[in-house]
Structures are given as structure tokens and as C-alpha cells.
Amino acid sequence: KQEVTQIPAALSVPEGENLVLNCSFTDSAIYNLQWFRQDPGKGLTSLLLIQSSQREQTSGRLNASLDKSSGRSTLYIAASQPGDSATYLCAENGGSYIPTFGRGTSLIVHP
Amino acid sequence: DTGVSQDPRHKITKRGQNVTFRCDPISEHNRLYWYRQTLGQGPEFLTYFQNEAQLEKSRLLSDRFSAERPKGSFSTLEIQRTEQGDSAMYLCASAGTGGYNEQFFGPGTRLTVL
């Protein structure tokens, strides 16, 4: 069974900081990895999808990297804002089309 | 709105009752997924369809859970004889053709079993 681990489980930072969220996976045959944001009581919003053949993807202040050899992905958030406060989840896709999710990192950005 | 929609958004029921949830995927997507999410956890995969074919259902939580996608468009998830432990958020996601399998989620249905 594949496992996905996200560290830290929770993070509180002042506005303006750059921060890194970590995602580790055990699937050596990963096909792609997707990062999501979830606000309380809501569904998941897709942020970035990075293919196994790619090293990184960028969208605005977000940058996701993928290192298959070490089984790690990171989500970098530049110049954090209070509106970035949410839970961030990663999910890895192997070849089975069944994603495995981590438990998420709960982020609070305070003014 | 061309996103994934779910209905109802909230459901409160008494233990032992049956409930049914509906999911309408993004229209051009052929894969449809159901997940369960409890507090502090990531989504837990339940089942998925490619068009009308249910390709994986072994992870449905018990035989009280069933899902259908009769015409390859919308899907329903039914829970029979609900138990308090079924209280959770039930999420639906759809993904398009091709290998990317990028998932797009609906807003979820919050189930409370009293």
C-alpha cells in the first residue's frame, strides 16, 4: 500500500514569509503528484500538478518541485498572505489511476 | 458553472436510514471518483468510474455502500442502514481523458448521522 506523508502537520507564520511544505511518498512508480488547497468545510481546489518527467511547476507565488529518486515533493509559497491560510494536501498518482492523499498541512498566516 | 457539483451539500439523518448523494462531473470528464474525508485526514478513496464502468470498488467501506453511474454522466453514492461512524464529508472528483488524471473536486456533502 502506498503512503504519503506531509510535514509539518501545522504551521503558523507571519505575513510576508516564504515557506515550504513537504510531501513524501513511497511509490517508486509515481506518475504525477498534485497539490491542493482546502478551506474549512469545503472541497479541494487544485493548485499544481507535476508530472514525473518534470522537476517543477509554477503558478503565481506557488512553486512545486518533484524528486522521484528521494520520494519527495515540496510546495513553496512566496510572500505569504493571510488569504493563504488553509490546509494544503498532496496526492500521488501511480499507474492505477487511484490517488493516495497525505493528511495535509494546516497553514495559518497571521497579519 | 462548469465545475463539479454535489447535492445535497448537507444531510442529517437518523441511524438506520438510507441516504443517497449525487455528483455531476465536469461534462467532458470520463473518470469520476468518490472519497470520504474525516476531520484531520486526507480524502480516502472509495471507488471510481471510467464512463459507466466501475473499475474499482473493493475499497468501499462495507457492503452498505454502493455507487452507480448508469449513463456515464452523473453518479450516485448510496449508504444503507447508516451508522454514526458514517458521519463524514463525502467528496466527488472528476478527471479527464488521457494520462494526467488531474482531479477536480466538488464542494462535498457533509453527512451527520444522529
Side-chain angles (χ1 to χ4, degrees):
Chain A
K1 179 181 176 182
Q2 307 302 340
E3 292 187 2
V4 176
T5 303
Q6 291 190 246
I7 294 173
L11 189 59
S12 179
V13 300
E15 181 177 8
E17 274 204 8
N18 301 325
L19 49 99
V20 175
L21 308 181
N22 296 293
C23 172
S24 300
F25 51 89
T26 58
D27 188 357
S28 60
I30 184 172
Y31 193 70
N32 60 46
L33 189 135
Q34 193 169 358
W35 281 94
F36 297 88
R37 167 189 173 134
Q38 186 174 30
D39 293 290
K42 308 292 186 182
L44 281 67
T45 300
S46 179
L47 296 174
L48 290 164
L49 182 144
I50 181 166
Q51 297 291 338
S52 61
S53 58
Q54 298 173 317
R55 295 294 300 272
E56 62 180 53
Q57 280 281 354
T58 298
S59 176
R61 294 183 294 109
L62 306 179
N63 176 277
S65 66
L66 178 65
D67 185 341
K68 282 182 58 178
S69 61
S70 65
R72 296 182 61 184
S73 177
T74 59
L75 179 67
Y76 175 83
I77 303 177
S80 58
Q81 303 170 358
D84 295 330
S85 299
T87 296
Y88 291 82
L89 297 116
C90 64
E92 69 91 9
N93 267 304
S96 67
Y97 294 121
I98 300 175
T100 301
F101 283 81
R103 294 175 65 173
T105 293
S106 177
L107 173 66
I108 297 175
V109 181
H110 49 89
Chain B
D1 186 7
T2 57
V4 179
S5 62
Q6 292 187 245
D7 184 71
R9 297 289 305 278
H10 303 275
K11 179 70 176 178
I12 300 174
T13 191
K14 293 182 179 179
R15 188 174 53 186
Q17 298 295 306
N18 299 341
V19 294
T20 300
F21 308 143
R22 176 178 170 130
C23 172
D24 287 86
I26 294 171
S27 58
E28 61 267 27
H29 284 180
N30 68 339
R31 293 194 197 102
L32 187 150
Y33 292 76
W34 286 101
Y35 297 89
R36 184 181 78 159
Q37 188 180 28
T38 54
L39 195 63
Q41 303 294 318
E44 176 186 14
F45 171 83
L46 296 178
T47 188
Y48 91 102
F49 295 84
Q50 182 152 316
N51 300 313
E52 64 273 14
Q54 191 172 12
L55 297 187
E56 174 58 62
K57 57 182 179 180
S58 66
R59 300 194 203 179
L60 285 166
L61 300 167
S62 77
D63 59 7
R64 297 184 296 105
F65 288 70
S66 62
E68 293 184 342
R69 194 183 184 195
K71 298 182 180 178
S73 57
F74 73 92
S75 176
T76 58
L77 177 70
E78 181 181 18
I79 308 174
Q80 296 182 329
R81 304 181 304 281
T82 53
E83 302 173 356
Q84 287 185 325
D86 297 332
S87 296
M89 175 77 89
Y90 290 85
L91 294 164
C92 174
S94 69
T97 56
Y100 286 177
N101 208 38
E102 184 172 5
Q103 306 253 311
F104 294 88
F105 279 79
T109 295
R110 168 72 65 187
L111 173 66
T112 302
V113 183
L114 302 176

